Amino acid sequence: MFVLELTYTAPLERVDAVLEQHVEWLQKEYAAGHFLAAGRKVPRNGGVILASGMDRATVERIVSEDPFTLAGVCAYRITEFMATTTAPALAQYREQLPS
């Protein structure tokens, strides 16, 4: 599983100019089964996406296709972790530590 942390590197006016395309990109990745949740940080200086079901190279490719990345309005921090415990609703995403 991955935590994708976005930090805006441009004024909100520039972020908002590509927001609609970013939302379309998010919807495409939800439909592909890659994203579990996403939303704005509070205060609004970026966002967070939870992603699962792929390797790091795929995550990096997907991030490179984000309209925010293409417009140069955000930077990504990608953190991979092993989701060994979850809420019951997320049980299908639990991972086993290697033996």
Side-chain angles (χ1 to χ4, degrees), residues 9-80:
T9 58
L12 286 178
E13 301 80 41
R14 286 192 49 214
V15 172
D16 287 342
V18 290
L19 183 58
E20 186 175 327
Q21 296 96 322
H22 172 75
V23 171
E24 290 171 3
W25 169 82
L26 286 169
Q27 292 170 344
K28 181 183 85 161
E29 297 306 328
Y30 278 118
H34 296 149
F35 291 171
L36 304 177
R40 292 178 177 174
K41 290 183 196 175
V42 177
R44 186 180 176 204
N45 60 8
V48 175
I49 301 169
L50 295 180
S52 184
M54 59 196 137
D55 61 21
R56 187 176 188 94
T58 302
V59 170
E60 290 174 354
R61 179 187 54 76
I62 289 169
V63 163
S64 75
E65 297 168 353
D66 179 356
F68 279 178
T69 301
L70 297 172
V73 299
C74 83
Y76 270 91
R77 178 177 164 197
I78 301 170
T79 304
E80 185 173 4

Side-chain angles (χ1 to χ4, degrees), residues 1 52 80-88 90-99:
M1 190 168 292
S52 184
E80 185 173 4
F81 74 102
M82 298 286 294
T84 55
T85 59
T86 66
L90 297 175
Q92 71 186 47
Y93 299 101
R94 288 185 195 145
E95 300 173 285
Q96 297 293 318
L97 293 173
S99 336

